[in-house]
Structure formats: structure tokens, C-alpha cells
Amino acid sequence: MSADTPHTKLNEEKAREQLIDLAEEFYDQFEHGDIPEMTLPTRTKSNIVFDEEAGVWVYGDRTSTRSANSVRGARKLLKAVYAVEFLAQQLDEDRSSTLRELYYLSESWDSEEAQFTSQDESNQLIEDLEIVSGVTREDFHMRPEESGAKVMGPLRIREQTRRGDRDIHCQEDVGQGGYQIPNNPDTIEFLDNDAEFVLCVETGGMRDRLVENGFDVDHDAIVVHLGGQPARATRRLTKRLHDELDLPVVVFCDGDPWSYRIYGSVAYGSIKSAHLSEYLATPEADYVGIRPQDIVDYDLPTDPLSDSDVNALESELEDPRFQTDFWEEQIELQLDIEKKAEQQALASQGLDFVTDTYLPERLGEMGVL
């Protein structure tokens, strides 16, 4: 698929139609003498429910209303109308912009009340428009700032750009840095691959270790660098690799509560983007480590849990994404030993330990290798 394919064009046309429909809805409310309003799912953990059919966490039935019956609500809807007009024009002109640019662009709008006071405000509005329109911000031609996430592995793709098609092998045609994931991975066509599985890696240091040691070559692995909390493009590409190429996905993170949430966002989605879980999440993804049990088994170098770590772990015990026997056992163990460890702590066993011993043994136990 590419920016010029019928499929992508159809998404863009749907995005524009949905934006216009939203503007018409506001107009109709005015015409009928109704106070304009916009209804959205309540975006809190308490309103997250498990979709049994899709296997991901999505928003529940609780809603909140943005209404012009208050000055604050009226400002929010005014900003939405201005944003809708901008996005529709952007699609007409086949242009794109970043979330950061939208924030600054609002300063040129003729109504000061419509201008954003922070980028968080403009980011949230784009998320609101995604929810009410049922299309993604990528279809609005909205881009985040570069995430820097990379891919390395036995995968040949075709990337469509404004400068033409590029066929790229994600090992042979790239340097040690790998292939940089584009903002909209749906513009990538998978041509061929010799991969056995996808390994998502949290940190750049561990990703570099795996590539330097030739793990991707030795085990026919597609190594995806998550870059910390993964960007939507990274999660979307991971899902496509699983769904379209039928590849197992495993996630390799640090052994702390914040990294477990990184895994959770890959596998089950996040509260912030629960409306896109079926588009972004890969519920079949497994967690390969670092586990609290690894800290004990390998006597890894550790840091003590901070108060915020403990609070996060206790919160995860109540988080529906982690209410499984595996996670409850591991989190309880971590609370008991009061320690956390980074991926790089495996280097205490030698620089080759992670590629020669740790990952092969763990992946073998999981049935991936």
C-alpha cells in the first residue's frame, strides 16, 4: 500500500467526509436551536474493558460530553471547528503537518479563543477527532515528531514516497542503524521475508548489542527497536508483521514496572489510544524478559525499587492488562525482592550472554525457537 494506492486514498476520503460530517453536525445543532456538543468515551482506566472477540482493551460505555453550555466547553468546540477546517483543507491540498506544527499554526487563526494554550491541548483534540470520526490521525495527514524507531532483519519492503518507490532489504540495504519506521507504516508493502519471529526491544543499547552480535542473522529475527514507550507507527508495524506475515511477536524490556507497561501497550493497547487498539495492539505478543525471576536466577545487578516503582507495581496488579497468573506471580515476586534490573544487566554474564544463552533459552522455552 502507498499514499497513492486506492486503499489509502479511500481512507483519506473517509477522513475528509467524517470531518465534514462533524462540522455539519455542529451546524445542524445551531440551526435547530440546540446547544452544540460532542460526546466522547471517558478516557480513564475505569472505563477500559476487555473486548473478548478482538483480544484487546477498549473503551467502555461511559461517556463525557463537550458542550457549549459553558465558556470552557464552548472554547473546546470552537477549537475543534477550527481544527476540522484546517485538516479538511490539508487533505484537499494533499499536504501534511506535525502535531507540533498544528499547535503553532493555531496562533495564526483569526480567533484568539480558538488558539491552543499548549501542545497537550492540541494533541488531545486530534485524539478526540479520531474517536468521533472513526479514522486515524495518519489519515488526517497528521504526523508526530520523529520517533527514531528502527527495524533490522530479513525483510524486503517497498516504500512509497513522494520521490517514488524504494525497494529496501532491512539487512542488506541499510547500515547498522537499520531501517527507520515511517510515520504511516500502512504505506509499506511487504515483498518478501525469511523471518521466523519479531523481537521488539525497549532500549537502543540492547538493540545495538543484538545487531552487533548478529542475532537477527543467526536466528532470522526481525528486531524492532521500540525506543522506550513505542510510537504508534512502531506498534502498527509490529501488528502488521504479525497479522500479515504470521510471525510470532515477543517483547524484550527492562525489569521494572514502567517497562511492563511498554509491553502492555504493544500487546493490549493503552488508555490514551484505546480507541485504536484493534489497529495498533498485538494481543498475541509474549513477554520474553527481563522478568523478576531472571533477577533471582541470574543474580543480576539491580537497583532498589523506589516508592514510585512500588506504587506502579501495586497499580499493575489492579490493571486488567496484567491480571494473569504469569504477571501476578512476577509482580508479587518483584515486590518481595524489592529490586529491578535493566536489560544491560545481562552483560554482567558477558557481552555474548544475551544472544548466546539468555534469549535462545527463553525463546526455546516459549516455543519460538
Side-chain angles (χ1 to χ4, degrees):
M1 291 179 293
S2 76
D4 298 317
T5 62
H7 177 82
T8 308
K9 280 296 183 185
L10 185 63
N11 285 350
E12 293 170 1
E13 290 169 6
K14 178 185 176 184
R16 189 181 185 285
E17 289 173 2
Q18 293 293 87
L19 289 171
I20 297 303
D21 286 347
L22 179 59
E24 289 178 347
E25 184 178 336
F26 289 148
Y27 180 85
D28 290 342
Q29 290 172 341
F30 273 119
E31 189 175 41
H32 290 94
D34 299 327
I35 297 175
E37 63 179 26
M38 183 168 63
T39 301
L40 299 154
T42 302
R43 284 189 271 173
T44 61
K45 187 183 296 184
S46 61
N47 194 38
I48 297 289
V49 298
F50 189 69
D51 185 321
E52 295 284 353
E53 183 176 351
V56 295
W57 298 103
V58 298
Y59 289 127
D61 296 331
R62 292 174 55 192
T63 60
S64 57
T65 301
R66 308 281 168 82
S67 171
N69 64 358
S70 69
V71 173
R72 184 169 180 268
R75 285 197 183 105
K76 285 183 176 293
L77 290 185
L78 179 65
K79 294 170 197 260
V81 169
Y82 269 80
V84 164
E85 181 182 26
F86 165 74
L87 292 172
Q89 180 180 355
Q90 177 168 266
L91 288 170
D92 282 343
E93 296 175 355
D94 194 23
R95 302 287 298 278
S96 66
S97 57
T98 67
L99 294 170
R100 186 67 172 166
E101 285 174 327
L102 175 62
Y103 164 60
Y104 285 119
L105 276 166
S106 74
E107 294 188 5
S108 67
W109 293 346
D110 56 19
S111 170
E112 289 188 11
E113 297 291 344
Q115 296 172 10
F116 298 115
T117 58
S118 69
Q119 188 175 346
D120 285 344
E121 185 182 28
S122 56
N123 288 355
Q124 183 174 6
L125 177 57
I126 292 297
E127 291 166 10
D128 289 346
L129 294 178
E130 284 185 315
I131 293 171
V132 297
S133 68
V135 295
T136 69
R137 72 184 183 202
E138 288 79 11
D139 294 323
F140 294 151
H141 288 191
M142 291 301 303
R143 297 178 281 110
E145 302 305 316
E146 294 294 340
S147 70
K150 306 287 183 66
V151 173
M152 177 71 83
L155 172 69
R156 187 179 300 279
I157 64 172
R158 175 166 296 150
E159 182 184 60
Q160 299 276 351
T161 73
R162 290 180 180 273
R163 297 176 179 82
D165 296 359
R166 290 197 309 158
D167 288 5
I168 303 168
H169 190 281
C170 295
Q171 280 173 328
E172 300 169 2
D173 300 330
V174 298
Q176 287 289 98
Y179 168 73
Q180 182 159 321
I181 301 172
N183 168 61
N184 186 359
D186 284 348
T187 63
I188 295 173
E189 179 183 355
F190 298 141
L191 298 179
D192 191 21
N193 80 93
D194 296 310
E196 294 295 329
F197 64 99
V198 178
L199 177 64
C200 298
V201 184
E202 176 184 356
T203 67
M206 180 55 72
R207 177 260 173 215
D208 291 347
R209 169 55 51 206
L210 298 181
V211 171
E212 180 178 317
N213 285 14
F215 185 83
D216 55 310
V217 175
D218 293 342
H219 298 284
D220 295 325
I222 297 176
V223 178
V224 177
H225 175 214
L226 297 178
Q229 185 64 40
R232 285 168 42 152
T234 308
R235 287 182 282 157
R236 176 57 180 164
L237 180 63
T238 299
K239 180 174 179 60
R240 286 195 61 203
L241 289 170
H242 172 271
D243 290 356
E244 297 174 33
L245 302 184
D246 196 28
L247 294 174
V249 173
V250 292
V251 182
F252 186 23
C253 295
D254 287 339
D256 64 55
W258 318 105
S259 297
Y260 306 153
R261 294 181 185 185
I262 288 174
Y263 161 73
S265 70
V266 172
Y268 306 117
S270 62
I271 291 174
K272 188 176 181 181
S273 59
H275 59 293
L276 296 172
S277 288
E278 292 187 54
Y279 174 79
L280 298 176
T282 307
E284 298 84 0
D286 284 325
Y287 187 78
V288 68
I290 300 288
R291 305 171 303 169
Q293 189 64 51
D294 296 329
I295 296 175
V296 176
D297 292 346
Y298 297 108
D299 192 25
L300 297 178
T302 60
D303 292 310
L305 294 178
S306 66
D307 290 343
S308 61
D309 291 331
V310 172
N311 291 336
L313 287 168
E314 291 175 344
S315 175
E316 284 168 357
L317 286 174
E318 304 299 322
D319 188 323
R321 294 176 298 176
F322 296 98
Q323 289 179 350
T324 66
D325 291 342
F326 169 80
W327 281 110
E328 289 175 359
E329 177 183 328
Q330 292 299 313
I331 291 172
E332 292 286 3
L333 174 60
Q334 190 151 36
L335 288 168
D336 183 52
I337 63 177
E338 300 180 342
K339 296 176 180 178
K340 60 184 178 182
E342 298 180 356
Q343 292 178 304
Q344 282 81 358
L346 293 170
S348 64
Q349 310 284 329
L351 290 179
D352 298 334
F353 178 75
V354 65
T355 50
D356 291 355
T357 303
Y358 178 80
L359 282 176
E361 286 184 357
R362 289 284 294 120
L363 292 169
E365 294 169 3
M366 299 167 68
V368 176
L369 285 183

